Each structure stands twice: as structure tokens, then as C-alpha cells.
Amino acid sequence: MLLAPVEYARPSSVDEAVRLLGAHDGARPLAGGQTLTNVMKARAAAPDVLVDLNDLDELRAISRVDGDVELGAMVTLSALLRSAEVGEARPMLAEVASHVADVQVRNRGTVGGNICSNDPTNHLPPVVAALGATMTIRGAEGERTVGAEEFFLGVYMTAVAPGELLTKISIPAGHGVRDGFASVPIGKDGTCIVNAAATVREGQARIALGCVAAVPVLLTCAAEEAAVREAVQGAALDPPSDVHASADYRRHLAEIVAVRAVEDAD
Ligand SMILES: Cc1cc2nc3c(=O)[nH]c(=O)nc-3n(C[C@H](O)[C@H](O)[C@H](O)COP(=O)(O)OP(=O)(O)OC[C@H]3O[C@@H](n4cnc5c(N)ncnc54)[C@H](O)[C@@H]3O)c2cc1C
């Protein structure tokens, strides 16, 4: 289906992008367009103005700041998996990015778009939640930072309000921490049925489960199989049933992928 008519703006600075987003009630940022153009074609979203972020090179930087990894919101999944900084500091991020969809989607799709769309089956929301990332958001009132626990609000909903822009994702330095990821996808690199990211420090695991709720489900427990299983069972998960898995099967898989993610971190 063709796109409905829509106004289009291509700002050359973050300030201009924020001004445009604030000036039009129905304005939406356009990043890689891998989700947004599809939902617009399906008439599930109808922004009045698309504010295209693709000229904003300042949002494409990957840097190390005091050991932390800072990712501009427009870093593509392909850039993430090729980055020396990411490979050195938190290689799990690159490993996960390499399993998202296919090369075309990874070349266009961005880290910011992936977490701002907060599709519960996406790979990156549980990853940034487990890593304890901090998101920087710019709006007309200035800049604020939001931790991963407060960032994801619901299906397709995040702390980025209308008129605001996610500019940066800061991943803490992983000194003494090991990271792991596990999933059961539909096909080799397809959409996840259930996934889990984990970080392990001094025998303690922080696990974020994906695809089982509207937002990543965070758990902390000892990094041992029995403790991980007990933590998942105690989370009283109420996942959706769909053509790919019943709620019971998703609950079962959640235990399995949580254990595997913690083992992957060892
Ligand atoms: C065929 C296909 C298969 C896919 N499979 C997977 C998969 O298995 N796993 C997975 O994780 N992902 C998957 N994706 C999603 C993909 O990885 C992208 O991350 C995703 O489409 C969003 O990124 P984008 O840059 O294209 O964002 P867009 O589509 O441009 O935007 C998505 C949403 O985020 C908002 N947005 C974007 N950037 C910002 C910003 N900086 N600030 C505020 N709001 C912003 C937009 O307004 C829009 O609402 C798939 C996509 C396709 C087309």
C-alpha cells in the first residue's frame, strides 16, 4: 500500500529537529524507517510531519567516555556490530545486533529506533535494560536522562514524549561484568518468541526478559541455574498467546532462555 500524504522535513541539526518536533503536534522522528514506514503503509500510524534524522551526523557517533560506551541514537545495527569500541567494552551488544533480521534491516535500522519503537519482540530493549543503560532525551525544555527501568512504558510506548528526541544511549563500562544473551527466534535470525539478556557480577545476575510482557521484565538473583529458574517462576509472568507460542510455552521458554543467558555470560 502507498503512504498517505505526509509533510517531510530534513533538519541539519539536533536543535532544528527538536524545534520542528515541538512545532507540530503530529510530527514524528524518522530514523531508519524500518518500522515507521511499514506502520504508516498499514495505516496504523499517520503522522502529519516526518522529521527525518538522517542528516544528523552528531547522532551517529560511538564513543568511550570514562569507560562507558555512548551510542548516538542514529547508530545503525550494522555500525554497532562493526564497532571496535563496542567490541572491546560490551561485545554482547554487537553479537545481539548481528542476529537482528537481515543485512538490509541492519543497515537502515538504528539503535534509537529499535528501543523507541519498543516492540516487545525487539532484541535491544531487554539488552539495554540488563546493561543498565541511561537514555538522554532532548526537548524544548532542554535535556534529561532516564534509566532503562523507567524508559520502557508499554507496547510501542517509551519515556520519549511527543516533541522530544532520544539523542544518546549510555552503556556503563563493563569492568568485572560478564554479559550474555539467549533467545528462541522464529527461524535463524527472525523475530524472537522469547529472549533474555543477562549481566553477571560477583555471582549475582541481572536478567531482562523480553517478549513476555509489554516492557522488559527485570530480575536479580544468584547466577546459578536453580536460583534463575526460581526467580523466573516467582515473576508471575503473564505473557501473550499467539500463533507462535501459547502463554504457558512462553513461560517455559522464559526459564530456559534466562538460564542460557546467564550461562552465556560465564
Ligand atoms: C523485516 C523486518 C524484520 C525485523 N526483525 C527484527 C528483529 O528480529 N529484532 C529486532 O530487534 N528488530 C527487528 N526489526 C526492527 C529493526 O531492527 C529496527 O530497529 C526498527 O525497525 C526501528 O528502527 P528504525 O531506525 O528503522 O526506526 P524507525 O522505523 O524510523 O522509527 C521507529 C519508531 O521510533 C521513533 N524514533 C526513531 N528514532 C527516534 C529518536 N531518536 N527519538 C525519538 N523517537 C525515535 C520513530 O518516530 C518511530 O515511532 C525488523 C524490521 C523489519 C523491517
Side-chain angles (χ1 to χ4, degrees), residues 28-36 38 53 73 77 100-101 105 108-110 112-114 116-117 122-123 160 165-166 190-191:
R28 288 273 283 275
L30 174 70
Q34 297 301 293
T35 292
L36 186 52
N38 287 329
L53 310 179
L77 296 165
V100 173
V105 170
R108 296 293 309 168
T110 62
N114 194 289
C116 284
S117 50
N122 274 0
H123 283 68
V160 184
L165 194 64
L166 172 71
T191 304

Side-chain angles (χ1 to χ4, degrees), residues 112-156:
N114 194 289
I115 64 170
C116 284
S117 50
N118 192 30
D119 179 328
T121 66
N122 274 0
H123 283 68
L124 294 187
V127 170
V128 298
L131 294 176
T134 302
M135 273 47 86
T136 302
I137 298 169
R138 284 265 292 274
E141 306 300 317
E143 197 167 85
R144 63 197 174 96
T145 56
V146 178
E149 286 91 341
E150 291 83 39
F151 184 78
F152 300 105
L153 301 181
V155 178
Y156 309 133

